[in-house]
């Protein structure tokens, strides 16, 4: 008889975003005339940059000629893309990252889950709270946790609360942990980490032989020159960190799929016999076995990000979403809500008014204003009483959503 992976049964009722979709669909069916504006899921809305589109069209034409046709590519990604990433995203910022340490993938979401393939089940794992749900759920699926308690916290994980009191940056744990998930600019709170804060984490990881999983998917939104874009800007990070990045939120590749993971060749972890093993070799083996690489067409589109035209177009795209975030912050602040984030990140983290729960605020906003956001409690127990609003939408929709909230929601504030 075939059996299942029982760890999946530990997962809560549903992944956060499908539950949001269920509630929105139910409301839409009962209110067919309502114009719903979705500021919940962090999906982009604006077209791919012209430079990327042009490069992809050219690549499609190449696929129609035997002389330039491309079949299977390298599982690690084409060298011409990896070299541009290494030079412009890392080396230009003083980071010691070689092109051979970069692995092109179909998503940082995928890689932050898949990276667990090369680590054992006996690691002590720390996550922030609130947290991007994928970090937690993939550990549950992998068998790295026990059951969840009434607050949704899983036995076996170390939760690091991020709150207004600590500026939404995780405090260094007093106990020893082995694997640490950090995301800056942060999803969902929009907070950023200073060099000093990241240095404290790097020092902790080196002292405890820990590995930091650093999710930098939103680094393009950093406008403050004092805030690091990469953890490798911190001395010693090559000895303790793996970094994940994506083309989804800067170049609009959410539906095109292209990302990257950096695994330094000098980064090691322990085998059962106590020997040091290079993680680069394990990840390379994993990718070569389970992944056939990102398509040639998509990688040519990603390469165009680093052209002069591409860089200018992406800067314009990022600034567009940052302006949306600025509008959201101002309107909600003027309405009397407590607002965080939205300055170096595309997310605005809102304190729910009048002690409303996160899901009650979600339902009230949906039914009163026909606007969708994301309940903070869906990101963890410490997210209760907060609400995430995404700046990824058209200017018209953002302005209309803010108008509805300020016009119709005043009685609840």
């Amino acid at each position: 008889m075939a059996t299942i992976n029982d760890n999946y049964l530990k997962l809560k009722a549903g992944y956060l975003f499908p539950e949001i979709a269920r509630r929105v669909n139910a409301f839409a069916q009962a209110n067919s005339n309502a114009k719903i504006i979705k500021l919940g899921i962090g999906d982009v809305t604006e077209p791919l940059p012209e430079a990327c589109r042009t490069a992809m069209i050219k690549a499609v034409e190449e696929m129609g000629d035997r002389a330039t046709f491309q079949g299977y590519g390298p599982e690690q990604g084409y060298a011409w893309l990896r070299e541009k990433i290494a030079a412009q995203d890392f080396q230009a910022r003083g980071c010691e990252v070689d092109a051979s340490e970069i692995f092109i993938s179909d998503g940082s979401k995928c890689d932050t889950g898949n990276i667990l393939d090369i680590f054992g089940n006996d690691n002590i794992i720390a996550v922030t709270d609130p947290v991007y749900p994928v970090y937690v759920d993939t550990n549950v699926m992998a068998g790295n946790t026990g059951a969840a308690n009434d607050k949704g916290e899983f036995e076996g994980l170390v939760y690091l609360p991020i709150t207004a009191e600590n500026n939404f940056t995780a405090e260094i744990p007093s106990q020893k942990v082995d694997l640490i998930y950090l995301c800056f600019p942060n999803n969902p709170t929009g907070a950023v980490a200073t060099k000093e804060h990241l240095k404290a984490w790097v020092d902790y990881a080196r002292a405890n032989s820990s590995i930091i999983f650093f999710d930098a998917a939103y680094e393009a939104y950093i406008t403050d020159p004092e805030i690091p874009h990469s953890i490798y800007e911190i001395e010693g990070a090559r000895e303790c960190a793996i970094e994940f990045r994506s083309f989804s939120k800067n170049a609009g590749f959410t539906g095109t799929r292209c990302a990257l993971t950096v695994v330094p060749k000098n980064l090691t972890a322990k085998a059962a016999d106590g020997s040091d093993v290079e993680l680069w070799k394990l990840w390379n083996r994993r990718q070569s076995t389970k992944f056939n690489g990102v398509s040639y067409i998509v990688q040519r589109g990603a390469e165009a990000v680093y052209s002069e035209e591409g860089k200018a177009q992406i800067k314009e795209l990022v600034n567009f979403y940052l302006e949306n975030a600025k509008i959201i912050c101002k309107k909600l602040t003027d309405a009397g809500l407590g607002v965080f984030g939205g300055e170096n990140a595309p997310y605005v983290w809102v304190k729910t008014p009048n002690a409303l729960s996160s899901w009650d605020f979600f339902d009230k906003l949906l039914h009163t204003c026909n606007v969708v956001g994301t309940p903070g409690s869906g990101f963890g127990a410490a997210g209760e009483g907060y609400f995430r609003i995404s700046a990824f939408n058209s200017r018209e929709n953002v302005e209309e959503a803010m108008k509805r909230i300020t016009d119709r929601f005043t009685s609840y504030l």
Side-chain angles (χ1 to χ4, degrees):
M1 179 183 295
T3 62
I4 64 165
N5 177 353
D6 280 343
N7 292 305
Y8 278 70
L9 303 181
K10 300 175 190 173
L11 294 168
K12 302 303 286 181
Y15 183 59
L16 172 62
F17 299 112
E19 173 60 18
I20 290 173
R22 185 191 68 77
R23 295 192 185 205
V24 172
N25 290 338
F27 175 80
Q29 289 174 8
N31 301 272
S32 57
N33 293 325
K35 182 187 176 185
I36 299 172
I37 298 176
K38 297 180 180 179
L39 299 176
I41 296 176
D43 194 3
V44 296
T45 58
E46 303 310 293
L48 287 173
E50 183 180 356
C52 299
R53 300 196 310 268
T54 300
M56 293 170 75
I57 290 168
K58 183 175 183 290
V60 169
E61 292 171 347
E62 290 174 357
M63 297 295 275
D65 186 329
R66 179 181 290 273
T68 52
F69 172 80
Q70 300 289 328
Y72 288 123
E75 294 93 348
Q76 301 81 4
Y78 287 97
W80 35 261
L81 175 56
R82 299 162 83 194
E83 287 164 2
K84 286 183 172 61
I85 292 168
Q88 298 193 38
D89 283 345
F90 295 100
Q91 293 163 12
R93 293 189 176 279
C95 304
E96 186 186 343
V97 172
D98 187 77
S100 64
E101 298 173 316
I102 295 169
F103 294 80
I104 306 300
S105 77
D106 58 351
S108 56
K109 172 182 177 179
C110 306
D111 280 2
T112 56
N114 292 334
I115 197 70
L116 294 173
D117 282 4
I118 67 172
F119 288 92
N121 292 111
D122 54 351
N123 289 298
I124 300 172
I125 300 162
V127 297
T128 59
D129 181 11
V131 66
Y132 182 41
V134 172
Y135 308 157
V136 172
D137 288 355
T138 52
N139 272 286
V140 176
M141 294 171 180
N144 294 339
T145 75
N149 62 22
D150 292 339
K151 295 194 296 182
E153 298 171 333
F154 285 91
E155 178 187 349
L157 295 182
V158 175
Y159 288 86
L160 308 172
I162 51 178
T163 65
E165 287 69 32
N166 61 19
N167 294 316
F168 298 102
T169 54
E171 295 180 2
I172 305 297
S174 56
Q175 67 188 100
K176 182 184 183 303
V177 297
D178 302 307
L179 303 178
I180 304 155
Y181 288 83
L182 296 179
C183 174
F184 291 107
N186 185 254
N187 179 13
T189 68
V192 291
T194 64
K195 289 181 180 178
E196 292 74 20
H197 185 69
L198 290 184
K199 180 65 164 59
W201 273 109
V202 167
D203 289 346
Y204 170 88
R206 293 175 69 192
N208 290 278
S209 299
S210 310
I211 303 292
I212 296 171
F213 296 153
F214 190 74
D215 188 345
Y218 302 95
E219 61 81 27
Y221 290 85
I222 295 173
T223 57
D224 185 339
E226 297 301 314
I227 301 298
H229 289 242
S230 169
I231 198 166
Y232 300 121
E233 294 179 50
I234 309 303
E235 183 181 358
R238 284 183 55 86
E239 301 171 22
C240 63
I242 294 172
E243 182 164 310
F244 306 90
R245 288 197 180 196
S246 173
F247 291 95
S248 285
K249 307 304 166 67
N250 62 344
F253 274 47
T254 54
T256 307
R257 310 310 303 148
C258 196
L260 62 110
T261 293
V262 180
V263 184
K265 288 189 174 179
N266 61 314
L267 183 60
T268 64
K270 293 291 184 183
D273 63 4
S275 62
D276 291 321
V277 177
E278 296 175 9
L279 293 176
W280 183 94
K281 291 182 177 178
L282 298 185
W283 185 242
N284 187 58
R285 183 69 170 86
R286 189 267 174 206
Q287 293 298 84
S288 298
T289 301
K290 290 190 173 185
F291 187 55
N292 269 339
V294 174
S295 81
Y296 171 77
I297 296 165
V298 169
Q299 290 191 63
R300 281 300 186 192
E303 181 191 27
V305 166
Y306 300 95
S307 67
E308 290 306 311
E309 299 83 358
K311 285 187 282 189
Q313 290 160 15
I314 284 167
K315 183 178 181 181
E316 183 178 349
L317 198 58
V318 168
N319 286 342
F320 174 83
Y321 290 126
L322 282 173
E323 182 63 24
N324 279 352
K326 184 178 180 181
I327 291 168
I328 294 168
C329 287
K330 183 178 188 310
K331 294 297 185 182
L332 296 184
T333 299
D334 289 348
L337 290 165
V339 176
F340 306 90
E343 293 183 2
N344 294 282
Y347 295 123
V348 178
W349 191 238
V350 182
K351 186 76 178 73
T352 61
N354 301 332
L356 282 174
S357 74
S358 296
W359 278 107
D360 283 346
F361 186 79
F362 172 91
D363 289 331
K364 203 168 287 292
L365 201 63
L366 174 61
H367 288 261
T368 304
C369 304
N370 307 153
V371 172
V372 177
T374 310
S377 59
F379 297 100
E384 179 54 75
Y386 288 92
F387 196 77
R388 191 191 77 175
I389 295 181
S390 168
F392 293 121
N393 214 307
S394 68
R395 183 64 44 78
E396 179 184 4
N397 279 346
V398 166
E399 290 178 341
E400 172 61 21
M402 294 305 103
K403 184 177 187 302
R404 290 183 194 176
I405 292 172
T406 53
D407 287 353
R408 305 179 191 175
F409 217 68
T410 307
S411 60
Y412 295 107
L413 302 179

